[in-house]
Amino acid sequence: MLTITPATGQVPNDDIAQRLMLQVEKPIASSTTNCTVQWQCVDERLTGKCIEYHNDQWFEFTPSVSGRYFVNISGQQCRDTRGVQLVVLTGTPCEPATYRILSCTSLGSQDDVFVPLEGLQAGQVYLLNVDGYLRDYCRFNLAVSSIAQGLPAASLPPAPAAPSASRLVTLRWTLPDSIDSIARFRVWRREAAAFRASSQAVVEVTRSTYGTAASAYSWTDTVTAPGRYLYQIIAESEDNVAPVLVQQQWFNHSQMGHQAPKPPTDARQQATQQQKQWERRASRMRRHRISAQIDKTTHNQFGRVSGNLIYFQRSSTC
């Protein structure tokens, strides 16, 4: 982890012409404070809702060997909670018509994260654009590496619609068939207003005597305060295989919980409900009178009720 000294002004690579050259496995410290946007060098139509440019800066990377690389972002120190945004593209600098977007990531937190870049070509120039999320001022470390560090960067799932009064949340997930050599799962939790997630538990992969891994897993947590909590299940391996996001979900806890809707206050609705109650009461009274009439028949008669008719048969022994 690098120590970042406070920035006092714009970084030089606020200008795309002075973009910083990244070398593999060599982190660079930077800051989005006081950066501006060269609007002639960006095109928001290419990135859609992924990013809104406010205070961006530029980097460049040219791999000497083709293959898979990772952009590791660490040590974020931001004014707000959502961290930085990253766009990776190819094309001629400051000519948006030539750009091709390879990756666009809005982190949404200040966690240490990595963004995978698949199939990079040796000798190809790649541009990296970093922006503070919604004008946020952030200091951070940036590195291109052959090894992933941190959590996989991922979009946030939809928040739950209603809070729960229970403090218990049970997570259930399955072992993905597409992932090999998984050793364990790590459970991460972050409250929505927190800067970073924290590790809550490690769930080891269980295997049979034949070495077959179990497919289903679960873990239960108890939250200590009301709030919206994001849970992430990350699969880890013993070697340098990049961690994989298996599952993420929100849990919304409130001491009040989900309250039932109040009864209608409209006078007509109340009258309708009252009328239905009277009709049910009248129906019960009619059934009671019919039953009483049947019981009063003489001992030489018996009745059988079918629908609204009563059938009688005289006994031959009377």
Side-chain angles (χ1 to χ4, degrees):
M1 181 68 68
L2 296 180
T3 300
I4 307 175
T5 56
T8 57
Q10 290 180 345
V11 292
N13 56 320
D14 180 48
D15 187 336
I16 194 172
Q18 301 186 56
R19 58 193 178 276
L20 296 181
M21 305 300 170
L22 299 174
Q23 303 296 325
V24 178
E25 316 300 349
K26 293 184 178 181
I28 286 181
S30 191
S31 170
T32 65
T33 302
N34 295 326
C35 287
T36 57
V37 179
Q38 293 173 285
W39 292 107
Q40 72 275 19
C41 298
V42 297
D43 188 347
E44 290 185 327
R45 294 174 298 179
L46 298 176
T47 52
K49 296 181 180 180
C50 171
I51 185 173
E52 295 181 11
Y53 294 99
H54 295 110
N55 49 10
D56 68 340
Q57 57 189 270
W58 294 89
F59 303 86
E60 180 181 303
F61 169 64
T62 305
S64 58
V65 178
S66 300
R68 185 190 198 194
Y69 291 85
F70 301 92
V71 178
N72 296 325
I73 301 174
S74 62
Q76 295 187 80
Q77 300 176 32
C78 304
R79 179 187 57 188
D80 300 325
T81 60
R82 294 188 176 184
V84 299
Q85 299 170 303
L86 170 70
V87 181
V88 182
L89 55 96
T90 59
T92 303
C94 210
E95 295 185 13
T98 67
Y99 290 172
R100 184 170 70 92
I101 306 298
L102 302 184
S103 174
C104 186
T105 307
S106 294
L107 302 187
S109 74
Q110 295 182 37
D111 294 325
D112 292 350
V113 298
F114 66 86
V115 177
L117 301 176
E118 306 286 351
L120 298 193
Q121 300 298 313
Q124 170 71 55
V125 175
Y126 297 91
L127 301 175
L128 286 75
N129 183 282
V130 178
D131 196 296
Y133 201 129
L134 296 179
R135 305 179 189 271
D136 200 359
Y137 294 157
C138 293
R139 290 179 287 163
F140 60 94
N141 301 325
L142 182 71
V144 176
S145 174
S146 59
I147 300 175
Q149 296 181 351
L151 301 176
S155 300
L156 297 178
S164 170
S166 173
R167 295 190 297 117
L168 297 178
V169 53
T170 298
L171 307 176
R172 293 183 175 86
W173 68 94
T174 58
L175 178 68
D177 296 332
S178 58
I179 307 177
D180 298 326
S181 67
I182 294 179
R184 68 190 66 86
F185 300 97
R186 189 176 299 274
V187 182
W188 293 83
R189 185 185 74 191
R190 178 176 66 85
E191 207 282 323
F195 292 129
R196 297 177 180 84
S198 59
S199 176
Q200 299 297 306
V202 174
V203 180
E204 299 290 340
V205 171
T206 57
R207 300 184 181 276
S208 66
T209 54
Y210 298 99
T212 303
S215 59
Y217 297 84
S218 66
W219 181 76
T220 299
D221 188 26
T222 302
V223 299
T224 58
R228 292 190 300 118
Y229 298 87
L230 176 65
Y231 287 89
Q232 294 178 308
I233 311 297
I234 306 296
E236 300 178 344
S237 302
E238 295 291 358
D239 49 23
N240 289 327
V241 175
V244 176
L245 175 64
V246 175
Q247 178 176 304
Q248 59 176 347
Q249 68 181 67
W250 287 100
F251 175 71
N252 193 357
H253 168 57
S254 171
Q255 293 177 344
M256 299 297 293
H258 179 63
Q259 296 183 350
K262 296 181 179 180
T265 57
D266 185 81
R268 287 176 298 180
Q269 290 180 324
Q270 289 182 341
T272 300
Q273 290 184 349
Q274 209 168 34
Q275 178 66 27
K276 290 181 179 179
Q277 291 176 355
W278 290 339
E279 291 175 355
R280 287 194 293 267
R281 187 179 304 125
S283 178
R284 288 195 297 269
M285 293 177 65
R286 285 195 299 269
R287 289 196 298 268
H288 178 72
R289 285 198 299 269
I290 293 175
S291 178
Q293 291 174 359
I294 295 175
D295 291 340
K296 290 180 180 179
T297 57
T298 58
H299 70 278
N300 63 339
Q301 294 178 335
F302 66 91
R304 178 169 56 88
V305 179
S306 176
N308 294 326
L309 300 178
I310 303 177
Y311 299 89
F312 294 93
Q313 181 176 343
R314 184 175 302 277
S315 174
S316 60
T317 59
C318 186

